[in-house]
């Protein structure tokens, strides 16, 4: 049985609004930065950039953020065993 750790990682995804500019990666990154600032003190575990397409086949990138709200220290190493 795996040991349980004392934190729970959450996530959300963010894209630009559909329509003109939906493919604008710099705008997406600015929106992401503003969102993270609004969230306050969080521990980011991972950021993943994805490229999707809408129904018309146009590029529609998005970012997924994995984060913890607690400031507890993560397990040593990569979380799968001793460092």
């Amino acid at each position: 049985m795996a040991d349980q750790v004392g934190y729970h990682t959450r996530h959300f995804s963010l894209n630009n609004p559909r329509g003109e500019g939906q493919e604008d990666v710099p705008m997406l990154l600015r929106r992401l930065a503003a969102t993270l600032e609004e969230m306050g003190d969080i521990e980011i575990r991972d950021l993943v950039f994805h490229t999707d397409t809408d129904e018309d086949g146009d590029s529609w990138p998005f970012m997924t953020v994995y984060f913890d709200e607690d400031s507890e220290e993560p397990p040593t190493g990569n979380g799968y065993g001793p460092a």
Side-chain angles (χ1 to χ4, degrees), residues 5-11 36 42-48 64-79:
V5 294
Y7 65 96
H8 300 281
T9 298
R10 301 176 62 194
H11 74 280
L36 294 174
I42 61 171
E43 187 81 26
I44 295 176
R45 297 290 174 206
D46 200 8
L47 297 170
V48 183
T64 300
V65 178
Y66 297 88
F67 68 98
D68 296 329
E69 291 181 309
D70 297 332
S71 60
E72 295 178 24
E73 289 298 314
T76 59
N78 60 10

Side-chain angles (χ1 to χ4, degrees), residues 4-75:
Q4 292 185 354
V5 294
Y7 65 96
H8 300 281
T9 298
R10 301 176 62 194
H11 74 280
F12 68 91
S13 294
L14 180 71
N15 59 354
N16 290 326
R18 183 179 179 159
E20 188 170 334
Q22 73 184 28
E23 76 290 343
D24 188 338
V25 173
M27 181 170 68
L28 174 59
L29 294 174
R30 286 190 294 273
R31 293 182 70 233
L32 179 61
T35 299
L36 294 174
E37 286 178 343
E38 288 176 15
M39 293 179 73
D41 189 24
I42 61 171
E43 187 81 26
I44 295 176
R45 297 290 174 206
D46 200 8
L47 297 170
V48 183
F49 176 80
H50 308 270
T51 301
D52 206 350
T53 55
D54 64 13
E55 294 119 10
D56 299 324
D58 296 326
S59 178
W60 200 357
F62 65 100
M63 298 286 302
T64 300
V65 178
Y66 297 88
F67 68 98
D68 296 329
E69 291 181 309
D70 297 332
S71 60
E72 295 178 24
E73 289 298 314

